[in-house]
């Protein structure tokens, strides 16, 4: 049954993308975070306050998902929706495609606008090469927390409890990911430290497994595997985050493009090392290749998860 739920959820994601005209659980999680933030946050922005928001958000999310599953008696369609709405595979391609379409029309302002919806850096002064680099980086990074990690925690949940575990673990992970997105940047106040570190811990194994899967997918699409593995091993720890560079270095090695380097965030330049320094500058066609690599790698990961699901 769990393998069927997983397969139908993936097929729905590929057919429909992110549910636009239906209540999305991530929006609810955002409101839960805001609720607990108003209760615990004071002018001190302390670590303990952030930890309290983190714990209460995860607890509230877990309880809500459990109640939904309990009331519905773990209904098949309910479980499918909970897993489908957690995946960002199709949506990652759809959102980045808007940027590519604008670039193909030579409309840089529009490309920068659409890019600003999917990246955290300042986009208003980026040239075409910088936009393309940012696009491939976000596809690579979000392949981990938007797809691989969701699949990873789905199978972990099945091992914990065959009935409730899959959706429960997936949405506790998504709550942690949303916490990192909303308050993790406040680590300079220490308020977001707990959320940022939790996200690092939860993505630790999926990022590394994902990097290997991406290189295997590259082998299936005819890349230079020796070069891809070399770039991955050399550059996978070049970010401040312990996880972000794994997906980026794997994509950079497979596509043979240079990623990374510094960027402006909220008006301040943040220097970052280059990934695959000897690679070429990305071109528009490389985004199409990145989408193909995303599809093949996610399909491989899904195949592994479904195979494991059949044995549980």
């Amino acid at each position: 049954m769990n393998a069927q739920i997983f397969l139908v959820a993936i097929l729905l994601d590929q057919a429909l993308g992110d549910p636009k005209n239906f209540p999305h659980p991530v929006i609810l999680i955002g409101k839960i975070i805001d609720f607990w933030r108003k209760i615990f946050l004071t002018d001190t922005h302390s670590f303990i306050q952030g930890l309290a928001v983190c714990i209460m958000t995860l607890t509230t999310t877990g309880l809500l998902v459990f109640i939904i599953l309990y009331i519905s008696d773990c209904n098949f369609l309910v479980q499918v929706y909970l897993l489908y709405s957690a995946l960002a595979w199709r949506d990652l391609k759809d959102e980045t495609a808007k940027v590519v379409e604008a670039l193909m029309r030579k409309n840089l302002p529009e490309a920068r606008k659409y890019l600003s919806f999917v990246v955290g850096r300042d986009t208003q002064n980026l040239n075409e090469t910088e936009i393309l680099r940012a696009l491939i980086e976000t596809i690579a990074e979000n392949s981990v927390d938007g797809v691989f990690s969701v699949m990873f925690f789905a199978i972990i949940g099945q091992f914990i409890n065959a009935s409730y575990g899959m959706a429960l673990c997936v949405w506790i992970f998504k709550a942690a990911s949303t916490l990192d997105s909303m308050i993790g940047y406040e680590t300079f106040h220490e308020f977001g430290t707990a959320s940022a570190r939790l996200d690092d811990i939860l993505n630790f194994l999926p990022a590394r497994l994902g990097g290997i899967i991406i290189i295997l997918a590259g082998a299936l699409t005819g890349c230079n595997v020796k070069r891809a593995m070399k770039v991955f091993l050399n550059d996978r720890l070049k970010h401040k985050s312990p996880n972000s560079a794994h997906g980026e270095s794997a994509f950079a090695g497979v596509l043979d493009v240079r990623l990374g380097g510094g960027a402006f965030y909220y008006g301040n330049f943040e220097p970052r090392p280059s990934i695959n320094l000897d690679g070429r500058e990305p071109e528009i066609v490389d985004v199409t290749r990145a989408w193909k690599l995303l599809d093949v790698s996610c399909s491989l990961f899904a195949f592994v998860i479904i195979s494991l699901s059949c044995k549980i």
Side-chain angles (χ1 to χ4, degrees):
M1 177 68 77
N2 283 329
Q4 295 173 348
I5 292 169
F6 196 83
L7 180 59
V8 173
I10 290 174
L11 292 175
L12 273 177
D13 175 75
Q14 289 302 290
L16 304 177
D18 219 25
K20 298 291 193 302
N21 300 315
F22 201 78
H24 199 296
V26 169
I27 296 174
L28 176 58
I29 291 174
K31 292 180 179 179
I32 291 170
I33 294 170
D34 284 336
F35 173 80
W36 290 116
R37 185 174 180 172
K38 289 175 182 176
I39 289 179
F40 289 108
L41 182 61
T42 65
D43 292 339
T44 58
H45 287 76
S46 71
F47 171 79
I48 295 299
Q49 292 168 344
L51 179 62
V53 172
C54 186
I55 291 172
M56 293 309 300
T57 297
L58 297 180
T59 302
T60 306
T61 301
L63 282 173
L64 283 174
V65 173
F66 179 80
I67 290 169
I68 290 169
L69 291 171
Y70 182 79
I71 291 174
S72 67
D73 196 23
C74 293
N75 179 271
F76 179 85
L77 292 178
V78 170
Q79 292 193 72
V80 165
Y81 179 75
L82 287 172
L83 186 54
Y84 150 62
S85 59
L87 289 166
W89 180 353
R90 163 74 182 271
D91 199 53
L92 187 53
K93 293 186 292 182
D94 287 347
E95 294 304 314
T96 52
K98 296 175 184 177
V99 184
V100 172
E101 289 166 4
L103 286 177
M104 293 181 72
R105 296 195 307 271
K106 305 298 182 183
N107 191 332
L108 271 180
E110 187 175 324
R112 291 166 181 153
K113 182 188 75 172
Y114 283 127
L115 181 65
S116 70
F117 299 154
V118 294
V119 301
R121 72 192 66 185
D122 299 341
T123 64
Q124 61 268 27
N125 296 315
L126 298 183
N127 60 33
E128 180 172 316
T129 299
E130 292 167 333
I131 290 171
L132 291 170
R133 188 182 300 127
L135 273 182
I136 296 174
E137 287 173 11
T138 199
I139 292 169
E141 184 175 351
N142 285 291
S143 67
V144 174
D145 56 13
V147 187
F148 297 144
S149 290
V150 172
M151 294 182 180
F152 177 83
F153 283 102
I155 195 65
I156 293 296
Q158 288 181 67
F159 279 110
I160 294 172
N161 184 289
S163 298
Y164 294 89
M166 184 167 65
L168 201 58
C169 280
V170 163
W171 277 102
I172 288 175
F173 163 74
K174 291 293 287 187
S177 182
T178 308
L179 276 162
D180 180 57
S181 298
M182 290 183 65
I183 66 175
Y185 69 93
E186 295 190 42
T187 51
F188 62 93
H189 284 308
E190 296 188 356
F191 179 73
T193 300
S195 296
R197 296 295 82 82
L198 176 62
D199 186 73
D200 289 341
I201 291 168
L202 294 181
N203 280 302
F204 188 87
L205 283 177
R208 284 146 184 81
L209 291 172
I212 294 170
I213 291 286
I214 290 165
I215 292 173
L216 289 175
L220 293 177
T221 57
C223 84
N224 184 325
V225 177
K226 184 177 179 180
R227 179 195 64 217
M229 184 61 73
K230 180 181 178 181
V231 173
F232 175 66
L233 293 176
N234 288 344
D235 295 349
R236 64 192 180 89
L237 298 176
K238 281 191 173 181
H239 270 216
K240 287 190 299 183
S241 163
N243 304 316
S244 295
H246 283 74
E248 289 184 22
S249 59
F251 266 76
V254 170
L255 302 175
D256 193 26
V257 294
R258 187 187 313 128
L259 300 178
F264 281 90
Y265 293 83
Y266 305 104
N268 298 311
F269 184 76
E270 184 176 310
R272 292 183 178 181
S274 292
I275 294 176
N276 191 21
L277 184 59
D278 296 328
R280 57 184 175 77
E281 294 288 7
E283 303 172 3
I284 289 181
V285 69
D286 292 311
V287 180
T288 304
R289 295 174 64 216
W291 291 333
K292 181 179 180 181
L293 183 58
L294 175 71
D295 284 341
V296 177
S297 57
C298 290
S299 297
L300 280 175
F301 211 111
F303 175 78
V304 172
I305 299 301
I306 290 172
S307 298
L308 290 171
S309 298
C310 291
K311 297 179 180 179
I312 296 176

